[in-house]
Amino acid sequence: QQQVKQSPQSLIVQKGGISIINCAYENTAFDYFPWYQQFPGKGPALLIAIRPDVSEKKEGRFTISFNKSAKQFSLHIMDSQPGDSATYFCAAKGNDKIIFGKGTRLHILP
Amino acid sequence: EAQVTQNPRYLITVTGKKLTVTCSQNMNHEYMSWYRQDPGLGLRQIYYSMNVEVTDKGDVPEGYKVSRKEKRNFPLILESPSPNQTSLYFCASSPRPANTEAFFGQGTRLTVV
């Protein structure tokens, strides 16, 4: 019940394409869903986050789509760039607990 | 500059030799936590602290200890390290309520031989 399942484990996208990473959760007590971006040798950093009262949040090329009834959320990166190559973690937070997905290693081909 | 500082960044040690990884934050955050990151397993929480003198086990606490004597510091202690504790460790902090952004340190790569 505490798991956050993330897919795919790795993803290769051509420059200019759309990168899509999916996550699913089980615990309905979660009320905050952040995505973190991690570059090699660095700690994860918050990229974008959403609360369950909205279905979509967009910040520049990054969009979170949230489906509360299906308990799923996804990250879309539009016009993907080589600089977006990183590991992405979804997470779910609630009741002072945060659970991370296992991460997606994204590689954007130049 | 708001930051979470971990030391050391890299550490190689031998089995059984006690070690401490320090973590300090300058944002006056109440909530701090430790994670380990392993390939294919993502980030797993070791311990967390809601405030000074309040600590709780995360998902993988075995073999680790923590203390929170001051708000800004949250050291991770390995009393008797073993090779299966070889990992990349991250400290993080966030303000309360906990459903807000977590700030991560740069990480500590620990190798136990």
Side-chain angles (χ1 to χ4, degrees):
Chain A
Q1 193 171 7
Q2 292 288 340
Q3 274 191 318
V4 175
K5 294 181 180 179
Q6 183 173 346
S7 62
Q9 192 172 356
S10 62
L11 181 62
I12 299 174
V13 175
Q14 288 280 354
K15 178 182 175 183
I18 303 173
S19 303
I20 302 174
I21 305 171
N22 300 300
C23 284
Y25 64 98
E26 298 168 346
N27 190 340
T28 55
F30 292 138
D31 57 6
Y32 180 71
F33 300 88
W35 284 88
Y36 285 83
Q37 181 186 54
Q38 183 184 27
F39 293 108
K42 302 289 187 182
L46 181 68
L47 180 65
I48 187 172
I50 196 168
R51 298 189 189 279
D53 52 343
V54 296
S55 61
E56 185 176 281
K57 183 173 182 180
K58 185 176 181 179
E59 290 184 0
R61 297 183 294 107
F62 301 91
T63 300
I64 300 179
S65 297
F66 187 82
N67 186 328
K68 189 174 182 178
S69 61
K71 290 186 280 188
Q72 295 175 346
F73 57 110
S74 60
L75 176 69
H76 291 64
I77 306 174
M78 312 300 288
D79 186 26
S80 299
Q81 299 297 311
D84 297 330
S85 297
T87 298
Y88 292 81
F89 293 97
C90 65
K93 236 175 174 181
N95 295 331
D96 293 324
K97 286 282 288 183
I98 180 169
I99 307 294
F100 285 90
K102 292 186 177 181
T104 296
R105 184 170 289 186
L106 174 64
H107 182 66
I108 307 300
L109 297 173
Chain B
E1 179 188 356
Q3 60 186 3
V4 178
T5 303
Q6 292 178 230
N7 279 296
R9 291 290 312 278
Y10 302 91
L11 180 59
I12 300 174
T13 191
V14 296
T15 299
K17 186 177 181 181
K18 181 180 179 180
L19 65 91
T20 299
V21 183
T22 64
C23 174
S24 180
Q25 52 96 1
N26 62 0
M27 294 167 281
N28 202 36
H29 287 168
E30 293 188 4
Y31 187 95
M32 297 185 74
S33 55
W34 277 101
Y35 297 87
R36 60 178 290 174
Q37 183 177 6
D38 301 289
L41 297 177
L43 289 158
R44 294 181 293 168
Q45 192 177 54
I46 302 170
Y47 268 94
Y48 64 96
S49 170
M50 305 277 277
N51 212 327
V52 175
E53 301 293 0
V54 180
T55 62
D56 271 302
K57 295 178 180 179
D59 298 317
V60 289
E62 294 78 21
Y64 305 94
K65 286 176 58 177
V66 293
S67 69
R68 188 88 182 275
K69 292 183 170 54
E70 306 166 279
K71 198 172 188 179
R72 64 182 292 125
N73 296 323
F74 190 45
L76 179 69
I77 304 157
L78 285 72
E79 294 269 1
S80 183
S82 62
N84 65 11
Q85 293 178 298
T86 293
S87 186
L88 179 59
Y89 291 87
F90 288 101
C91 178
S93 73
S94 61
R96 294 199 68 181
N99 55 337
T100 52
E101 177 180 1
F103 293 81
F104 283 82
Q106 293 276 63
T108 296
R109 185 165 291 282
L110 172 65
T111 302
V112 184
V113 298

